[in-house]
């Protein structure tokens, strides 16, 4: 088999753990498989580099940020390749560029446009383990780009797709996908399987165990994706098509996202096209909008509330200030102290009362819900950040996920 193995930050967190990864790769090769490894930066490294940049500037040029951040993954890739060669296992390390990963030019959250796997195949065919620095590519002009936080997952899935690999294993610090973050609720249960759609919702709604775009791509390319731990041989969780899952629980998991801010626009000119103007301008600045609420207008004015990722508030503010100047909006406020809790499950499609139960669970804990959004397979609620963990645990038990 051709297997892509991705190791996250904790799995390569120090030199001993990198050696541990080398041993695991070597074992897989000895079992007769071809292996392509994708690595993250050592844990804490990317945050450290972000802090270095912020030491000099609150809003550093994004191309510089990418030059800086992409270095973390290259360090790990090189070290792992050195360790493998030392063990007598021929290996070669590659940057995103060398691996043929071409992205668009949206620095710090670039999208992969294409992958030319020629170099990777050349090295594999000469009997080497190929170790690739995750999280990065280059745009068509050769500038280094990064794929958004957690983006090594996306590198792994995209590479597995380009190589038509038989399996893509994501090694992390938990043994699979749980009913909720096991660090918040120790009673969380590991799932044997989860559908792409549910996993995509969980990831998009804050479960950082997999980057959401990696799941989206895995679904599109039909990549066999497994999440497991690098510390033991425990079986992980298979992320697969819904039809491969016999048992469909009402709710499969609870996600928490603390990385959202709420932006409230007050006194918005209530005219046709205003929402389109605002959200198109935000999209042009690559701001990701999540929940939107528009209240009933009066006197030609309305209020518009929406949420954006915390690290995109500055970009959103730059856009909104233009609307303020043009008198299309009277006032803006920003709220950082919110979070979003969500319940996810394909079983919801065919059942009623699932959302109502979420609301009454919040009511029983005296937690006020300030925004709600629903889809076929999820219910999301914005609440005060100070109730985040309490909300997750109450919902987890309300839907009997600990049973
Ligand atoms: P890596 O560095 O390996 O990419 P991450 O820190 O990005 O690892 O993701 C793993 C973390 O995701 C876990 O330590 C866990 O706290 C968190 N997590 C959140 N939701 C879940 C969930 N439903 N199942 C498993 N882990 C989860
Ligand atoms: N090192 C990058 C990050 O921390 C990418 C990754 O680990 O997936 O976001
Ligand atoms: Mg991650």
């Amino acid at each position: 088999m051709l297997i892509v193995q991705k190791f996250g930050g904790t799995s390569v967190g120090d030199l001993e753990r990198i050696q541990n990864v080398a041993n695991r790769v070597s074992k897989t090769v000895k079992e007769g498989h071809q292996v392509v490894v994708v690595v993250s930066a050592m844990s804490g490294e990317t945050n450290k580099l972000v802090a270095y940049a912020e030491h000099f500037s609150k809003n550093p040029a994004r191309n510089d940020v990418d030059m800086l951040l992409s270095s973390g993954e290259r360090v790990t890739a090189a070290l792992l390749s050195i360790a493998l060669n030392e063990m007598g296992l021929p290996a070669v390390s590659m940057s995103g560029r060398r691996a043929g990963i071409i992205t668009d030019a949206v620095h710090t959250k670039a999208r992969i446009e294409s992958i030319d796997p020629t170099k990777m195949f050349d090295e594999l065919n000469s009997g080497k383990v190929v170790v690739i620095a995750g999280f990065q590519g280059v745009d068509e002009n050769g500038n280094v780009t990064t794929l958004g936080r957690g983006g090594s997952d996306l590198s792994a899935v995209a590479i597995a797709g380009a190589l038509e690999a038989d399996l893509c294993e994501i090694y992390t610090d938990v043994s699979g996908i749980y009913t909720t973050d096991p660090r918040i609720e120790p009673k969380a249960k590991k799932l044997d399987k989860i559908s792409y759609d549910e996993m995509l919702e969980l990831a998009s709604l804050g479960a950082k165990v997999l980057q959401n775009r990696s799941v989206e791509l895995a679904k599109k390319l039909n990549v066999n994706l497994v999440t497991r731990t690098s510390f033991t041989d425990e079986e992980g969780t298979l992320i697969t098509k819904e039809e491969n899952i016999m048992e469909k629980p009402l709710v499969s998991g609870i996600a928490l996202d603390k990385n959202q801010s709420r932006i409230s626009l007050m006194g918005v000119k209530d005219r046709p096209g205003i929402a389109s103007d605002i959200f198109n301008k935000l999209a042009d600045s690559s701001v990701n909008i999540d929940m939107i609420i528009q209240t009933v207008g009066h006197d030609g004015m309305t209020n518009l509330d929406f949420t954006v990722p915390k690290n995109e508030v500055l970009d959103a503010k730059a856009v909104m200030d233009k609307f303020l100047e043009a008198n299309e909006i009277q006032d803006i406020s920003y709220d950082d102290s919110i979070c979003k809790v969500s319940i996810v499950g394909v079983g919801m499609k065919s059942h009623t009362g699932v959302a109502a139960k979420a609301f009454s669970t919040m009511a029983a804990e005296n937690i006020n819900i300030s925004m709600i959004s629903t889809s076929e397979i999820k219910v999301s609620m914005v609440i005060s950040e100070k109730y985040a963990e309490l909300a997750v645990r109450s919902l987890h038990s309300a839907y009997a996920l600990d049973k």
Side-chain angles (χ1 to χ4, degrees):
M1 289 209 292
L2 172 54
I3 305 180
V4 173
Q5 298 187 323
K6 179 257 171 179
F7 294 90
T10 322
S11 306
V12 293
D14 57 33
L15 302 181
E16 200 180 316
R17 285 186 172 173
I18 292 177
Q19 183 61 56
N20 198 34
V21 166
N23 298 344
R24 185 177 285 275
V25 170
S26 156
K27 191 170 150 236
T28 314
V29 171
K30 290 199 176 118
E31 283 163 2
H33 305 298
Q34 281 185 308
V35 183
V36 172
V37 186
V38 176
V39 287
S40 287
M42 296 162 84
S43 63
E45 193 59 28
T46 309
N47 286 345
K48 190 180 88 188
L49 295 172
V50 168
Y52 283 174
E54 284 174 352
H55 173 78
F56 296 106
S57 167
K58 279 224 164 331
N59 205 7
R62 301 283 162 92
N63 53 328
D64 289 333
V65 173
D66 277 349
M67 271 294 287
L68 180 68
L69 297 194
S70 59
S71 68
E73 271 60 18
R74 297 173 64 137
V75 170
T76 333
L79 289 175
L80 179 59
S81 178
I82 292 170
L84 287 167
N85 279 302
E86 190 60 25
M87 290 167 75
L89 198 67
V92 60
S93 58
M94 288 185 185
S95 63
R97 179 195 308 272
R98 182 83 182 152
I101 301 173
I102 307 296
T103 71
D104 64 18
V106 182
H107 284 287
T108 72
K109 46 183 166 182
R111 286 185 168 272
I112 296 178
E113 288 185 335
S114 64
I115 297 185
D116 174 359
T118 316
K119 300 271 179 350
M120 291 188 280
F121 275 129
D122 286 351
E123 299 289 5
L124 277 174
N125 293 338
S126 73
K128 286 186 184 148
V129 172
V130 181
V131 185
I132 299 166
F135 182 49
Q136 58 185 278
V138 286
D139 70 10
E140 58 176 9
N141 294 316
N143 301 302
V144 178
T145 54
T146 63
L147 308 176
R149 296 306 302 269
S152 297
D153 296 333
L154 178 61
S155 307
V157 170
I159 288 166
L163 297 173
E164 295 180 24
D166 301 287
L167 178 64
C168 179
E169 294 180 316
I170 307 284
Y171 286 91
T172 182
D173 56 359
V174 285
S175 57
I177 310 299
Y178 282 71
T179 47
T180 193
D181 188 339
R183 291 180 206 286
I184 298 176
E185 175 51 281
K187 288 186 211 141
K189 293 267 182 296
K190 189 174 79 185
L191 304 164
D192 294 333
K193 291 179 181 175
I194 185 169
S195 69
Y196 289 118
D197 288 330
E198 286 173 307
M199 191 61 236
L200 181 56
E201 288 287 359
L202 284 176
S204 306
L205 295 168
K208 71 166 183 163
V209 60
L210 284 176
Q211 193 214 32
N212 59 349
R213 279 157 58 188
S214 71
V215 184
E216 197 175 26
L217 191 66
K219 181 186 176 190
K220 190 168 141 200
L221 304 179
N222 223 337
V223 172
N224 281 316
L225 195 60
V226 168
T227 306
R228 54 191 300 189
T229 173
S230 63
F231 302 135
T232 67
D233 285 328
E234 206 179 318
E235 295 269 329
T237 302
L238 174 69
I239 297 117
T240 185
K241 290 186 193 159
E242 193 180 324
E243 61 250 39
N244 296 339
I245 301 174
M246 300 312 269
E247 216 184 314
K248 293 196 178 66
L250 210 52
V251 171
S252 298
I254 316 281
L256 171 65
D257 188 354
K258 286 185 164 184
N259 184 35
Q260 295 275 319
S261 277
R262 174 179 178 149
I263 301 185
S264 306
L265 309 180
M266 283 144 301
V268 181
K269 261 201 190 138
D270 205 0
R271 61 165 174 85
I274 182 76
S276 143
D277 285 354
I278 290 174
F279 293 113
N280 274 315
K281 286 275 166 8
L282 287 165
D284 291 345
S285 293
S286 297
V287 175
N288 286 295
I289 309 296
D290 186 30
M291 287 192 194
I292 304 176
I293 290 185
Q294 181 174 354
T295 41
V296 181
H298 49 84
D299 304 332
M301 305 276 196
T302 183
N303 293 340
L304 203 55
D305 279 47
F306 53 92
T307 60
V308 302
K310 278 197 173 119
N311 62 354
E312 294 178 15
V313 169
L314 275 184
D315 289 340
K317 190 171 182 309
V319 174
M320 298 330 310
D321 284 347
K322 299 229 168 66
F323 285 90
L324 265 182
E325 278 161 33
N327 275 323
E328 297 248 81
I329 295 171
Q330 283 178 341
D331 202 9
I332 306 182
S333 71
Y334 300 88
D335 187 355
D336 249 3
S337 62
I338 59 151
C339 71
K340 184 171 61 183
V341 278
S342 309
I343 58 176
V344 172
V346 283
M348 276 184 220
K349 284 185 201 171
S350 49
H351 283 79
T352 55
V354 179
K357 186 174 206 157
F359 306 147
S360 48
T361 306
M362 294 298 95
E365 297 291 349
N366 236 332
I367 299 173
N368 191 46
I369 306 169
S370 64
M371 294 169 110
I372 295 171
S373 84
T374 62
S375 79
E376 252 194 332
I377 65 166
K378 69 128 200 233
V379 178
S380 293
M381 299 170 286
V382 169
I383 61 170
S384 164
E385 191 173 5
K386 63 177 185 247
Y387 298 123
E389 286 77 15
L390 173 63
V392 168
R393 286 193 287 262
S394 323
L395 290 166
H396 195 263
S397 113
Y399 293 102
L401 294 177
D402 42 1
K403 295 289 145 50

